């Protein structure tokens, strides 16, 4: 297991470099000048612009800028935001805790509700509850997130008055429940459908028939034999989905005024703050790589037949 983890960590290095280099070059290849954009309509001396570019290292070739960025990153320096001259690590530290809370609620709701609905439907395929689940998940997949967010805001906040329509600057966990539910809706639909399909397929497997023939209790068959094998594809999806949720949802955070990573990226793109976008994406790439490694390690826990030499 130790050798496998070490090998996976080494494999992550080229993935990390390739993904961050790609987004780095894409951001700095966009038209426009972020330094000149700070002045807006005001006239700024070219010497001042050149001086600020030299100070931020924007006067160097793009590959040299990337090498310098990686060197600073190894020291925990994500760069400096052009507009506010604040360290990007500090800007991310202000926004990321909100996204982590939102992700925690959304992921918990996805796992509990999605797997429960999927198992109930998969144990009785082609039944009324199975067809009802397929209809519900199809509806959640078809409705765009901004429509679902506005509808939830209208009914639960403006009509019923049980929640606040927007998240305040001093947010508490209750204000995040509604946006977390909207954020989790699409993932819940996929998890429920994937769980239902996996359970229904494994229910017809030979090892399940053997367990039934041996007279094992139904609860043991479902929880020990059926669930462990059925959860492998679900865990794979949840691992990738966790990275997606933690990267922040621009639409959901915009609707509910959540000041998280999604809003930070949107504002940075609008101001063409390439350094901020690259810093956030770098953190997101690290989250994705870590989630991928954890998922691979969970395979051996779920299925004893999987072993890592």
């Amino acid at each position: 297991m130790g050798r496998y983890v070490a090998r996976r960590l080494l494999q992550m290095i080229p993935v990390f470099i390739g993904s961050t280099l790609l987004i780095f070059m894409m951001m700095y290849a966009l038209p426009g000048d972020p330094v000149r954009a700070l002045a807006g309509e005001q006239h700024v001396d070219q010497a001042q612009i050149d001086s600020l570019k030299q100070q931020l290292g924007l006067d160097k070739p793009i590959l040299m800028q990337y090498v310098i960025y990686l060197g600073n990153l190894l020291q925990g320096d994500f760069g400096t935001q052009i507009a506010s001259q604040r360290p990007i690590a500090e800007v991310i530290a202000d926004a990321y805790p909100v996204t982590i809370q939102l992700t925690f609620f959304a992921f918990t709701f996805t796992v509990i509700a999605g797997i429960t609905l999927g198992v109930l439907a998969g144990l009785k395929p082609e039944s009324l509850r199975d067809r009802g689940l397929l209809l519900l998940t199809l509806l959640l997949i078809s409705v765009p997130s901004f429509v679902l967010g506005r509808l939830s805001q209208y009914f639960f906040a403006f009509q019923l008055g049980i929640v606040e329509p927007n998240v305040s600057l001093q947010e508490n966990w209750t204000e995040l429940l509604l946006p977390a539910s909207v954020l989790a809706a699409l993932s819940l639909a996929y998890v429920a459908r994937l769980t239902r399909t996996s359970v229904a397929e494994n229910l017809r497997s030979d090892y399940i028939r053997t367990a039934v023939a041996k007279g094992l209790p139904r609860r043991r068959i479902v929880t020990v034999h059926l669930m462990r094998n059925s959860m492998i594809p679900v865990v794979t999806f949840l691992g990738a989905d966790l990275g997606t949720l933690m990267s922040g949802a621009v639409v959901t955070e915009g609707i509910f005024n959540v000041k998280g990573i999604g809003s930070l990226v949107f504002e940075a793109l609008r101001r063409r703050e390439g350094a901020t976008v690259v810093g956030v994406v770098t953190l997101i790439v690290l989250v994705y790589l870590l989630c991928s490694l954890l998922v691979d390690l969970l395979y051996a826990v779920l299925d004893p037949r999987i072993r890592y030499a």
Side-chain angles (χ1 to χ4, degrees):
M1 179 68 76
R3 294 177 59 186
Y4 173 78
V5 173
R7 188 166 63 248
R8 282 300 309 272
L9 290 175
L10 291 176
Q11 292 173 352
M12 289 179 181
I13 296 176
V15 176
F16 174 79
I17 294 177
S19 56
T20 53
L21 176 61
L22 179 62
I23 190 65
F24 193 92
M25 299 185 69
M26 289 175 61
M27 288 304 305
Y28 286 93
L30 291 176
D33 189 341
V35 177
R36 187 177 292 275
L38 290 176
E41 300 294 333
Q42 300 177 358
H43 175 72
V44 180
D45 187 21
Q46 183 63 38
Q48 293 178 317
I49 295 178
D50 294 340
S51 175
L52 185 55
K53 283 185 176 181
Q54 184 178 7
Q55 178 183 346
L56 297 174
L58 299 178
D59 58 331
K60 298 180 176 61
I62 187 169
L63 289 180
M64 180 61 67
Q65 293 183 41
Y66 178 72
V67 172
I68 295 175
Y69 174 74
L70 281 184
N72 294 335
L73 191 63
L74 293 176
Q75 304 174 29
D77 183 7
F78 283 81
T80 304
Q81 197 174 47
I82 297 177
S84 63
Q85 291 296 299
R86 293 177 60 198
I88 295 177
E90 182 180 317
V91 176
I92 295 176
D94 290 340
Y96 215 62
V98 182
T99 298
I100 290 178
Q101 294 181 56
L102 188 65
T103 300
F104 174 77
F105 291 131
F107 188 75
T108 303
F109 182 57
T110 297
V111 171
I112 296 177
I115 293 179
T116 301
L117 292 174
V119 171
L120 292 176
L123 291 176
K124 295 289 185 179
E126 303 303 326
S127 62
L128 181 61
R129 66 188 183 191
D130 181 32
R131 297 182 185 276
L133 174 70
L134 294 178
L135 180 62
L136 174 62
T137 54
L138 181 61
L139 181 64
L140 293 177
I141 293 173
S142 303
V143 177
S145 58
F146 65 90
V147 175
L148 185 61
R150 289 301 184 189
L151 288 175
S152 301
Q153 197 177 49
Y154 175 76
F155 284 109
F156 293 104
F158 296 114
Q159 294 296 318
L160 300 179
I162 58 178
V163 294
E164 293 295 329
N166 293 316
V167 177
S168 61
L169 294 179
Q170 294 79 26
E171 72 281 334
N172 54 67
W173 66 270
T174 57
E175 293 181 341
L176 294 175
L177 292 180
L178 185 59
S181 301
V182 174
L183 181 61
L186 182 61
S187 300
L188 184 148
Y190 283 122
V191 168
R193 292 175 74 96
L194 187 59
T195 304
R196 178 261 176 200
T197 302
S198 184
V199 169
E201 181 180 352
N202 284 303
L203 201 60
R204 300 190 297 267
S205 301
D206 292 337
Y207 70 91
I208 294 297
R209 296 193 184 99
T210 302
V212 173
K214 287 182 176 180
L216 294 179
R218 179 175 176 80
R219 177 178 298 179
R220 179 175 177 81
I221 294 175
V222 172
T223 57
V224 176
H225 299 282
L226 181 62
M227 287 294 294
R228 292 182 66 175
N229 289 281
S230 300
M231 286 300 101
I232 292 178
V234 179
V235 168
T236 303
F237 175 82
L238 288 174
D241 188 62
L242 180 60
T244 303
L245 293 174
M246 291 195 70
S247 65
V250 176
V251 176
T252 303
E253 291 187 359
I255 292 175
F256 294 96
N257 192 37
V258 180
K259 301 302 182 182
I261 290 297
S263 298
L264 177 62
V265 171
F266 175 76
E267 290 297 326
L269 288 172
R270 187 176 60 84
R271 298 192 305 263
R272 202 186 172 280
E273 282 274 4
T276 304
V277 176
V278 173
V280 173
V281 171
T282 299
L283 183 60
I284 293 172
V285 170
L286 291 174
V287 170
Y288 268 107
L289 293 176
L290 178 61
C291 290
S292 176
L293 177 61
L294 292 177
V295 166
D296 288 345
L297 296 179
L298 279 175
Y299 286 162
V301 177
L302 293 172
D303 192 344
R305 296 171 298 179
I306 299 176
R307 287 292 180 267
Y308 299 115

